[in-house]
Amino acid sequence: MSEVHHPNTERVAIDAAGRLVVPARFRRAMGLRGRGTVVVGMVGDSLHVHTVDGALERLQRLARRKKADDGSAVDAFIAERRDEAERE
């Protein structure tokens, strides 16, 4: 199977305990230093890793959108996830 190379991707190993190491260049770009917590989600067959602050900002945007248009926050969240998946 041929690999697709993209400058924002990197192949990493998963150890026997199921852990993977986030490459240093990605941690630096996300502002992660040392130990910490991130938010991980699945979209299709992809894992998305967000900083806690980034995840909080997304939730706040959804809440503002809900308040602004009085629609369902769940529907807005699902729509945003679908938009993200289409962009990938």
Side-chain angles (χ1 to χ4, degrees):
M1 170 170 38
S2 69
E3 289 187 42
V4 176
H5 177 72
H6 187 279
N8 292 325
T9 64
E10 192 165 321
R11 188 176 180 159
V12 297
I14 298 175
D15 70 14
R19 296 175 295 219
L20 63 89
V21 175
V22 177
R25 67 188 181 107
F26 296 157
R27 292 192 314 272
R28 279 192 301 272
M30 294 176 76
L32 301 173
R33 306 273 186 270
R35 300 191 98 157
T37 302
V38 294
V39 177
V40 179
M42 281 207 58
V43 176
D45 67 347
S46 299
L47 286 177
H48 289 230
V49 180
H50 302 273
T51 63
V52 173
D53 288 343
L56 179 59
E57 286 175 19
R58 290 173 52 120
L59 289 172
Q60 288 171 337
R61 278 196 313 268
L62 288 173
R64 282 192 299 273
R65 194 177 306 155
K66 161 75 171 119
K67 186 176 180 182
D69 64 33
D70 201 35
S72 165
V74 172
D75 290 343
F77 180 77
I78 291 169
E80 185 170 311
R81 289 293 180 154
R82 285 184 180 142
D83 291 344
E84 267 186 32
E86 287 177 9
R87 286 192 299 266
E88 291 185 3

